[in-house]
Amino acid sequence: MRNFALRAHDGSVIPRTRWVWLGDHLAVDFVNTTIGLDDDREELIGTVEEFLGWIDAEPAWLPALGGDPVGLDAVLEQRDATSRLLRAAALQEELDGADVELINERVRAGGVTRLLGTEAGTSRLAAGTGFVALLGVLAAATVDVLARDDLAAVAVCEAPGCGQVFHRSRRNQRWCSPGCGNRARVDRHRHRNPAAGAGSSR
């Protein structure tokens, strides 16, 4: 995360802890704009200002809006489709056809291309400016993740209450961060030793 305070367009400070995990693949960062599991998930981009705050904090390149208005419903629709696709891939399940078509259509509409980088073996996404181009780049990032050779490295954190999508740095990695690993071990110990858990809550 960047080291300066993030501010919304009204001047209010956006807490930096909100985006502490940014820096994974762009599609993964996009999916992780919710926290928690199932009915306990917290929406982090529930307003246009929050979405703009995420754009400001995201380290990956994204097209400038160029004055275009943000269609939040379209953003959330695409984020949720991306989340379902990545989670299905992590569980080695079949991808939903409607979600696949939505992502492909957003790539086409955004006019996104992939260009060679300045070093061998590198490339980058490119698009014009505007809201449609922004959605297109986010969609193309999803294609990148789901079509890559190391798709098995995409996983869902198993720590209690997390459920974040992440890239494994090693084959047997089960948690997205050391903090989640610690919480999972504490939770496992508490379930194995109920008396110890009861004593610690006094």
Side-chain angles (χ1 to χ4, degrees), residues 106-130:
R106 294 284 169 86
V107 174
R108 288 190 289 264
V112 184
T113 57
R114 177 163 287 284
L115 304 177
L116 283 175
T118 56
E119 298 180 6
T122 65
S123 63
R124 61 183 177 85
L125 295 175
T129 61

Side-chain angles (χ1 to χ4, degrees), residues 130-176:
F131 179 63
V132 173
L134 173 66
L135 292 183
V137 168
L138 290 170
T142 304
V143 174
D144 282 351
V145 169
L146 293 174
R148 63 195 305 170
D149 292 336
D150 63 341
L151 179 59
V154 177
V156 177
C157 183
E158 299 178 15
C162 183
Q164 299 288 77
V165 178
F166 70 101
H167 271 104
R168 292 188 179 100
S169 58
R170 59 184 186 282
R171 182 170 297 181
N172 64 344
Q173 184 178 349
R174 299 170 58 191
W175 306 298
C176 65

Side-chain angles (χ1 to χ4, degrees), residues 61-68 128-131 133-134:
W61 175 81
L62 286 166
L65 285 169
D68 280 3
T129 61
F131 179 63
L134 173 66

Side-chain angles (χ1 to χ4, degrees), residues 14-178:
I14 300 171
R16 288 185 297 169
T17 53
R18 179 181 294 255
W19 310 120
V20 69
W21 59 85
L22 291 183
D24 204 316
H25 189 282
L26 175 58
V28 173
D29 283 352
F30 187 37
V31 165
N32 287 336
T33 51
T34 60
I35 296 177
L37 295 168
D38 302 323
D39 294 338
D40 292 327
R41 294 191 73 81
E42 177 187 356
E43 177 61 72
L44 299 182
I45 55 171
T47 68
V48 170
E49 292 297 335
E50 288 174 336
F51 179 59
L52 294 175
W54 175 76
I55 291 175
D56 289 341
E58 172 56 47
W61 175 81
L62 286 166
L65 285 169
D68 280 3
V70 171
L72 189 61
D73 288 345
V75 171
L76 297 180
E77 178 188 30
Q78 182 169 324
R79 192 275 314 277
D80 292 346
T82 302
S83 179
R84 289 189 294 268
L85 290 170
L86 265 62
R87 292 173 192 279
L91 297 173
Q92 298 183 335
E93 297 175 349
E94 185 175 353
L95 304 183
D96 182 85
D99 288 338
V100 169
E101 181 53 34
L102 172 66
I103 295 302
N104 287 339
E105 177 54 34
R106 294 284 169 86
V107 174
R108 288 190 289 264
V112 184
T113 57
R114 177 163 287 284
L115 304 177
L116 283 175
T118 56
E119 298 180 6
T122 65
S123 63
R124 61 183 177 85
L125 295 175
T129 61
F131 179 63
V132 173
L134 173 66
L135 292 183
V137 168
L138 290 170
T142 304
V143 174
D144 282 351
V145 169
L146 293 174
R148 63 195 305 170
D149 292 336
D150 63 341
L151 179 59
V154 177
V156 177
C157 183
E158 299 178 15
C162 183
Q164 299 288 77
V165 178
F166 70 101
H167 271 104
R168 292 188 179 100
S169 58
R170 59 184 186 282
R171 182 170 297 181
N172 64 344
Q173 184 178 349
R174 299 170 58 191
W175 306 298
C176 65
S177 68

